[in-house]
Amino acid sequence: MKEILIKSNEEISTQIIIQGGLTGGLNNYIDDLQNSKKFFLITNTKIAKLYKNLIYKFANDRIFIVKDGEKYKNFKTFEKILNFLLSKKIERSNTIVALGGGVVGDLAGFAASTVLRGVNLIQIPTTLLAMCDSSVGGKTGINSNYGKNLIGTFYNASKVLIDTDFINTLSDYEYKCGLGEAIKYAFIEKSCKNSEYYDLIEYFTRNQRDDVKYDIANTIEKCLKLKANVVMLDRKEGGLRKILNFGHTYAHPIETLSNYRKISHGEAVAYGMRFASKLSKDTGLIDEEYYKKIIFLLDKFELATGKIKYKPDEIIDLMSQDKKVQKNKINLLLPTAPAVVGLFDNINRPSLEASML
Ligand code: NAD
Ligand code: GLY
């Protein structure tokens, strides 16, 4: 078992536990939780079916099951969750448990942060992407017609319980998308202040997919330690935390254009990392050798290998609606050296376009 503690200030702290063994550790935690206070579980249809032996521990009338998919991360589902919690007379002392990937985590986190002005939140991530990124750091939210994650809060879970056995039932595609988010940490590692250096670029270059899977708890731990350091220094993304959005300026418009159906977040981020790296190479921020290394890794793990069907123009137009726009300028994170990224707001439209061709 591995444990990480994130402490942003006296009031905000998150205990992260990483372990395997669905029938062991996690069950014991759930028993402990159930004995102490009233819990509401939020999960989705797929997980409820796959893990019925786990969720039967929660009383039926305290489980809310969301439809599966990014397209349900919206106002309607959020409203349904709140109505459910209020109809069950949720109290301030109660806890919401999010059992699922990033979609369930973001929705349940948003509900936990708003219902009764905030109740305790526990995240139990079930996708690799949620384990190595989204369940930690307190970002919650929903999508709207205006774009991705434009509505939400910063609200930290008190506990994140990571059971790596959940990975065994992930589709190949979802596993790959999670790896994409883990590999993102390789490309930003040296920009994560105050952190130990793990040389994830070298790690992912040396290891094959199956080796990485075998060693996944260590990889998740490294990603989360990097994230924890960044979040502790800049919880609300005033500056440093922006580095965690590497690839996202391209990714959010791509997800919006795919109607939150065809291209998942992890794959869209992988496209974003490809495009941003090309832009860096074309503008001389990085040399050909490092660019080839980035592309080699993305190819090796089969991330965003197909040609994207959306036009650069459409993507750029949507970029200007993103949260990352400041003073009408598109903010882009670009690689500037191995494992280092920098923030730029002076990239012209033709260069942006060329990066996606
Ligand atoms: P997801 O939650 O949609 O899960 C992907 C698919 O895997 C879904 O079909 C889901 O039902 C299925 N699934 C989940 N666990 C499974 C399991 N153990 N076995 C089999 N299938 C399983 O997507 P995701 O990739 O986990 O998360 C993407 C979302 O996370 C996006 O909405 C993105 O915006 C958000 N996100 C948030 C943050 C944050 O900091 N809050 C960070 C990154 C991404
Ligand atoms: N995934 C980006 C962040 O948590 O800030």
Side-chain angles (χ1 to χ4, degrees):
M1 188 184 97
K2 299 168 188 301
E3 192 172 337
I4 305 171
L5 188 69
I6 302 190
K7 222 167 163 33
S8 300
N9 57 39
E10 278 311 304
E11 281 162 28
I12 301 169
S13 74
T14 303
Q15 181 197 29
I16 306 167
I17 310 271
I18 309 171
Q19 60 177 46
L22 277 177
T23 49
L26 193 57
N27 268 336
N28 294 339
Y29 274 109
I30 292 177
D31 284 342
D32 281 355
L33 297 173
Q34 289 279 56
N35 291 338
S36 53
K37 291 213 178 84
K38 196 163 160 189
F39 282 82
F40 289 94
L41 180 79
I42 300 181
T43 189
N44 78 11
T45 44
K46 191 185 269 180
I47 296 154
K49 200 165 162 193
L50 276 170
Y51 292 100
K52 47 180 181 295
N53 291 342
L54 193 65
I55 68 167
Y56 86 96
K57 285 176 169 267
F58 288 79
N60 261 336
D61 67 340
R62 281 193 246 136
I63 301 177
F64 188 87
I65 300 177
V66 175
K67 285 188 185 152
D68 185 20
E70 179 78 35
K71 67 178 169 149
Y72 297 106
K73 192 175 128 177
N74 59 19
F75 259 127
K76 221 179 196 166
T77 311
F78 174 64
E79 189 185 8
K80 281 185 190 162
I81 295 174
L82 288 194
N83 281 334
F84 164 78
L85 296 169
L86 294 171
S87 72
K88 297 293 172 192
K89 304 206 172 357
I90 185 168
E91 292 172 16
R92 274 251 172 92
S93 60
N94 296 166
T95 290
I96 290 180
V97 179
L99 177 74
V103 167
V104 167
D106 280 8
L107 268 167
F110 191 30
S113 70
T114 45
V115 72
L116 307 181
R117 298 206 174 88
V119 300
N120 186 40
L121 170 69
I122 292 177
Q123 292 273 4
I124 307 182
T126 62
T127 60
L128 178 56
L129 185 143
M131 290 179 200
C132 64
D133 194 275
S134 68
S135 62
V136 166
K139 280 189 183 174
T140 82
I142 53 174
N143 306 322
S144 78
N145 292 339
Y146 293 91
K148 184 128 170 109
N149 292 341
L150 291 179
I151 300 157
T153 53
F154 286 98
Y155 194 74
N156 289 76
S158 59
K159 280 184 200 294
V160 180
L161 306 176
I162 300 178
D163 191 322
T164 50
D165 281 6
F166 281 115
I167 291 171
N168 297 333
T169 53
L170 283 180
S171 69
D172 199 47
Y173 177 73
E174 294 304 343
Y175 175 68
K176 263 190 337 200
C177 291
L179 271 186
E181 199 84 40
I183 289 171
K184 176 192 84 179
Y185 283 92
F187 301 140
I188 66 170
E189 196 181 346
K190 281 188 183 161
S191 296
C192 297
K193 296 235 164 64
N194 290 358
S195 201
E196 206 177 313
Y197 182 56
Y198 305 112
D199 201 351
L200 287 171
I201 291 185
E202 201 276 326
Y203 173 80
F204 285 115
T205 306
R206 184 168 31 91
N207 287 290
Q208 300 307 317
R209 241 178 87 117
D210 286 348
D211 307 324
V212 175
K213 200 167 195 173
Y214 186 72
D215 189 35
I216 205 69
N218 284 325
T219 304
I220 294 168
E221 184 188 19
K222 287 173 189 159
C223 294
L224 291 185
K225 280 189 169 164
L226 290 165
K227 181 162 189 177
N229 277 314
V230 170
V231 170
M232 279 191 275
L233 289 169
D234 179 20
R235 193 168 75 84
K236 291 201 171 172
E237 206 169 291
L240 176 68
R241 185 169 179 165
K242 291 179 183 163
I243 62 168
L244 301 179
N245 298 329
F246 178 43
H248 288 59
T249 308
Y250 291 94
H252 287 171
I254 291 171
E255 289 180 84
T256 305
L257 287 167
S258 86
N259 285 326
Y260 305 117
R261 280 164 217 249
K262 294 172 208 102
I263 298 188
S264 81
H265 179 73
E267 189 184 9
V269 169
Y271 274 111
M273 294 193 291
R274 270 183 194 271
F275 298 154
S277 305
K278 179 157 186 291
L279 187 48
S280 273
K281 192 245 319 168
D282 290 347
T283 49
L285 288 170
I286 56 170
D287 59 21
E288 185 80 27
E289 193 189 348
Y290 180 44
Y291 174 67
K292 281 192 176 148
K293 200 161 217 166
I294 295 174
I295 299 304
F296 169 80
L297 279 189
L298 294 172
D299 284 349
K300 174 177 169 179
F301 291 99
E302 295 169 23
L303 290 160
T305 48
K307 193 162 167 42
I308 198 122
K309 65 175 192 186
Y310 310 112
K311 294 197 180 77
D313 254 355
E314 299 175 289
I315 296 177
I316 299 170
D317 285 347
L318 280 173
M319 277 180 181
S320 13
Q321 290 179 17
D322 200 74
K323 294 189 289 310
K324 289 173 276 300
V325 169
Q326 275 179 344
K327 296 189 182 133
N328 278 330
K329 287 186 172 163
I330 294 169
N331 279 267
L332 259 187
L333 278 152
L334 299 176
T336 54
V340 181
V341 287
L343 194 62
F344 294 82
D345 69 358
N346 55 351
I347 307 295
N348 59 40
R349 195 165 178 121
S351 305
L352 267 177
E353 263 175 44
S355 68
M356 291 181 258
L357 297 174

